[in-house]
Amino acid sequence: MTLLLKIALTADEQQIAEFFQASVGEWRSERRYYTLPQGETKEMVSIITIHFLQQGDDELQKLAQLHDLQDLESLTCGAKVTWESTDLHNAKKEASGVTVFGAWGNILYRDRGFATTKPVTAQYYFPSLKTLCLRTEYNNSVFEEEIKLIGDKYRTRQSIVSRAGEQLMIGQYLEKRV
């Protein structure tokens, strides 16, 4: 009986699994960040690699431990994302890293946040079949992100970072499957 309960996914979990699976592969991400209110811009190019993680994967079990989840098999699916970013104007390598995402219900568990190395959670929802929206809150900041799959070869993303109700940064991305 317990096994059957673990296999039955909520609609949100089924949709996030399909979204992660559709995102698998390597992407070239052209990014532009706007710092507000000054309007300063920074342009980056990132190579992103996305791997799908099935329920029970070792990476998801480690993530469940990080979040002190009682059942290490509770995360129904996830993704492991690696990236390497370069400043577009001076060709200087800016950042590289790895992050792991795991879904349970309408919560996305992460091993790290956008601006922290500590584990965080995000609420997620799908306003349409191919568009994932996330809202993450920590350190008095709010991170809102929209990721939209466009056909099989493109994704767009937009991130908005706010603190105390004031927008601090907007990131816009065009990603092409390579």
Side-chain angles (χ1 to χ4, degrees):
M1 186 73 160
T2 304
L3 181 60
L4 291 176
L5 291 175
K6 289 181 187 266
I7 293 172
L9 301 178
T10 67
D12 287 335
E13 291 167 337
Q14 182 64 37
Q15 212 166 359
I16 194 80
E18 290 170 5
F19 190 88
F20 284 154
Q21 289 169 334
S23 296
V24 166
E26 191 169 276
W27 299 83
R28 183 179 194 274
S29 180
E30 296 177 12
R31 303 165 173 231
R32 177 175 282 165
Y33 296 100
Y34 300 93
T35 304
L36 305 173
Q38 305 90 331
E40 296 173 16
T41 62
K42 184 172 193 170
E43 294 182 315
M44 309 281 288
V45 172
S46 299
I47 299 299
I48 301 169
T49 305
I50 301 171
H51 299 278
F52 180 73
L53 303 175
Q54 294 184 16
Q55 186 172 27
D57 187 281
D58 289 344
E59 297 277 358
L60 291 179
Q61 290 186 20
K62 290 177 198 171
L63 183 60
Q65 282 180 316
L66 272 177
H67 284 276
D68 296 322
L69 299 178
Q70 294 278 330
D71 181 358
L72 297 183
E73 302 262 333
S74 59
L75 299 174
T76 57
C77 70
K80 182 176 183 176
V81 180
T82 60
W83 70 91
E84 189 167 301
S85 300
T86 304
D87 187 300
L88 192 61
H89 296 290
N90 64 18
K92 179 182 170 192
K93 183 178 171 183
E94 290 283 326
S96 62
V98 177
T99 191
V100 175
F101 299 83
W104 187 20
N106 69 338
I107 305 289
L108 199 58
Y109 292 80
R110 299 174 63 170
D111 63 345
R112 59 176 294 144
F114 182 76
T116 182
T117 56
K118 294 180 182 176
V120 299
T121 60
Q123 296 279 330
Y124 74 88
Y125 67 96
F126 287 88
S128 65
L129 281 176
K130 302 269 185 177
T131 304
L132 170 63
C133 291
L134 306 169
R135 181 181 174 90
T136 310
E137 297 183 37
Y138 56 87
N139 296 339
N140 298 316
S141 295
V142 176
F143 303 84
E144 296 173 287
E145 186 166 18
E146 177 188 272
I147 308 167
K148 184 173 189 165
L149 294 167
I150 302 170
D152 294 332
K153 296 182 182 175
Y154 297 96
R155 297 182 350 157
T156 58
R157 291 173 49 196
Q158 178 164 283
S159 302
I160 301 170
V161 180
S162 305
R163 184 174 292 132
E166 185 176 332
Q167 292 74 32
L168 303 176
M169 188 196 74
I170 297 172
Q172 295 181 316
Y173 320 75
L174 174 61
E175 300 177 340
K176 183 178 180 182
R177 193 181 298 272
V178 292

